[in-house]
Amino acid sequence: MRIVDARAMSISHEDLIAVTETSVYYREKSGETSFSIFRYDEANGTVTPVSRRVYEDYGISKLFISGGRVYFLNETPDRTGVIRTELIAFDYRSGEEEVLATFEKRGNSTLYWVLADRYFLFLTSFGDADEAWLYDAETAFQERIRDERLVGHAGKFRELYLFTSDLEGVPYIVCNARLDEFAYYEALEAGRVSPDDAIDHSEAILICSLDDAVEAVRERISEIPFEDLIRLHGEGDTVQYLGERDNRLRFSAFVDAANEETIYEVTAPDVLREVTVVDWGAYEPIDFTYDDVSSTIFIKVEESENHTELIDATNGARFLDTAPFERVLASIYFIHESAEGGGGVSIFNLETNERQTFEDAYYTVLDETIVILSTKQL
């Protein structure tokens, strides 16, 4: 793992495509809708255009990276409200593009998700109406998605976070389903709902094979056949995504009544392997951080003017520094991010015993690289 200072680049974390040992590939926007793909070479600071044309996206512009390709949309509207949309697969190293499909629809389309480099999930908005639909790039089949959980939509204050994982050689969709507490309690205070209304307060991990999900869309079935891997019903119970370790998804499940949190790894379609159990009663935590890069929980147990101590909940490792920090990456980089003023990032390198400070900055992690970005681009 290394650090790349990209504050001079007019990009945010949403524009990053890939980081190699020598270069950063990224999207740079011009105006509200136009963008191009560029490469920044660290050795000499040069910026090279990679794309051979300028693209336009009038909806929510999202990038999906898989292998050496990035998927996105290029839209051309006409005067009648019809938008001609190209689905682009772009090889960011060579600059070659492939137009996988072209659609003409009324309204703005958003590429919501890409599955197995074959299935593309879209949301198209026109007026007050939204339509979710699936496109199969191998067969050119397309069909409306009736169960909008597949594109992260759910009613009654539910939050859905969708992930993919190969289990026993078969691709699966895994969903972390939660109550959106902020929206729910805001609705309670506003009187839009009553505490007696039937609201699903449970938190769960759901799973469905990709083939079964696609077949449900093809057959126009109203619900994707998700099954529960775990479901918690207690008030205060939570399920939290913790990233991937060795290509296996990790989650933590907190049971409020026991004051315990179990970190699980999804090892099979019907198996959650217990990684560790955190007995919160054994700590006096000042704070804690769910870390989806290190796939663990960092527990802050000491904090004073000259001393901060964290514990890695997964392996019990203790980390000490004279300055504040909230997480540790690669067991080397102690990271503190502050929102005060214009924001800033401080990173202590345990191997070199050096501390770097970046002003007006925040950071993200991509391709085993800590990328420092400018808060002025947010």
Side-chain angles (χ1 to χ4, degrees), residues 77-112:
D78 68 15
R79 295 179 180 178
T80 68
V82 174
I83 297 181
R84 182 177 183 270
T85 301
E86 294 176 317
L87 173 60
I88 305 288
F90 186 84
D91 186 319
Y92 56 82
R93 290 188 176 90
S94 69
E96 298 292 332
E97 73 164 52
E98 180 183 359
V99 179
L100 299 179
T102 303
F103 312 100
E104 289 191 351
K105 288 181 176 287
R106 289 191 177 275
N108 292 323
S109 293
T110 297
L111 180 58
Y112 184 83

Side-chain angles (χ1 to χ4, degrees), residues 262-278:
T262 305
I263 296 177
Y264 292 106
E265 194 169 71
V266 183
T267 59
D270 57 352
V271 176
L272 286 175
R273 184 183 74 85
E274 184 180 294
V275 176
T276 191
V277 177
V278 181

Side-chain angles (χ1 to χ4, degrees), residues 289-363:
T289 300
Y290 290 107
D291 194 316
D292 62 4
V293 175
S294 301
S295 297
T296 191
I297 306 169
F298 287 109
I299 305 169
K300 184 179 291 187
V301 294
E302 292 270 350
E303 186 175 50
S304 64
E305 187 174 342
N306 298 309
H307 177 79
T308 301
E309 181 177 355
L310 299 188
I311 297 176
D312 183 329
T314 301
N315 56 29
R318 291 178 177 263
F319 301 94
L320 298 143
D321 193 11
T322 56
F325 67 111
E326 293 80 39
R327 68 195 297 198
V328 180
L329 297 179
S331 301
I332 296 172
Y333 298 100
F334 294 22
I335 302 181
H336 173 60
E337 188 172 35
S338 172
E340 295 180 3
V345 178
S346 173
I347 303 177
F348 175 70
N349 187 320
L350 186 62
E351 284 191 342
T352 64
N353 200 33
E354 295 177 335
R355 192 182 310 278
Q356 292 178 269
T357 301
F358 306 91
E359 296 181 351
D360 298 324
Y362 71 106
Y363 75 99

Side-chain angles (χ1 to χ4, degrees), residues 136-336:
D136 182 344
E138 287 191 8
T139 65
F141 170 83
Q142 60 178 293
E143 180 57 61
R144 183 168 70 87
I145 297 170
R146 287 154 177 80
D147 186 350
E148 291 196 344
R149 290 180 300 173
L150 197 57
V151 286
H153 285 196
K156 295 189 176 179
F157 313 104
R158 302 296 289 169
E159 290 182 306
L160 300 174
Y161 301 92
L162 298 154
F163 312 95
T164 56
S165 182
D166 280 359
L167 300 170
E168 301 173 351
V170 176
Y172 280 82
I173 298 170
V174 181
C175 176
N176 183 9
R178 310 179 61 185
L179 173 70
D180 184 346
E181 292 187 1
F182 293 107
Y184 173 64
Y185 287 113
E186 184 180 275
L188 276 179
E189 290 179 7
R192 295 195 304 272
V193 297
S194 160
D196 298 326
D197 289 344
I199 301 295
D200 183 1
H201 290 258
S202 69
E203 306 224 349
I205 304 172
L206 313 177
I207 192 166
C208 178
S209 75
L210 175 58
D211 287 346
D212 287 347
V214 170
E215 186 62 23
V217 174
R218 287 183 184 277
E219 295 298 321
R220 302 178 180 180
I221 296 173
S222 60
E223 289 195 351
I224 302 296
F226 283 110
E227 296 183 0
D228 288 2
L229 273 173
I230 190 172
R231 185 175 293 273
L232 306 178
H233 292 279
E235 186 175 349
D237 294 355
T238 59
V239 175
Q240 181 75 34
Y241 172 65
L242 287 179
E244 290 187 36
R245 177 68 63 88
D246 300 324
N247 296 318
R248 290 180 171 176
L249 296 174
R250 282 193 178 183
F251 296 87
S252 70
F254 173 71
V255 177
D256 185 67
N259 200 23
E260 286 187 347
E261 191 147 8
T262 305
I263 296 177
Y264 292 106
E265 194 169 71
V266 183
T267 59
D270 57 352
V271 176
L272 286 175
R273 184 183 74 85
E274 184 180 294
V275 176
T276 191
V277 177
V278 181
D279 178 5
W280 286 103
Y283 299 97
E284 295 182 4
I286 297 169
D287 201 356
F288 56 90
T289 300
Y290 290 107
D291 194 316
D292 62 4
V293 175
S294 301
S295 297
T296 191
I297 306 169
F298 287 109
I299 305 169
K300 184 179 291 187
V301 294
E302 292 270 350
E303 186 175 50
S304 64
E305 187 174 342
N306 298 309
H307 177 79
T308 301
E309 181 177 355
L310 299 188
I311 297 176
D312 183 329
T314 301
N315 56 29
R318 291 178 177 263
F319 301 94
L320 298 143
D321 193 11
T322 56
F325 67 111
E326 293 80 39
R327 68 195 297 198
V328 180
L329 297 179
S331 301
I332 296 172
Y333 298 100
F334 294 22
I335 302 181
H336 173 60

Side-chain angles (χ1 to χ4, degrees), residues 1-3 19 293 329-330 333 364-371:
M1 185 168 277
R2 64 193 184 94
I3 302 170
V19 182
V293 175
L329 297 179
Y333 298 100
T364 190
V365 179
L366 178 66
D367 296 331
E368 295 296 315
T369 305
I370 302 168
V371 184

Side-chain angles (χ1 to χ4, degrees), residues 1-67:
M1 185 168 277
R2 64 193 184 94
I3 302 170
V4 171
D5 186 355
R7 285 177 296 171
M9 299 161 63
S10 55
I11 62 171
S12 75
H13 58 285
E14 295 178 341
D15 300 309
L16 287 170
I17 294 172
V19 182
T20 68
E21 293 182 357
T22 59
S23 305
V24 178
Y25 293 87
Y26 62 97
R27 169 186 65 184
E28 184 168 312
K29 298 176 182 177
S30 54
E32 293 295 322
T33 61
S34 303
F35 65 93
S36 301
I37 309 298
F38 293 89
R39 183 186 72 241
Y40 168 74
D41 295 313
E42 292 182 71
N44 51 23
T46 59
V47 174
T48 304
V50 178
S51 55
R52 298 170 188 176
R53 59 169 170 152
V54 177
Y55 302 102
E56 300 275 348
D57 193 339
Y58 291 81
I60 300 172
S61 183
K62 298 178 71 173
L63 302 176
F64 290 87
I65 298 92
S66 177

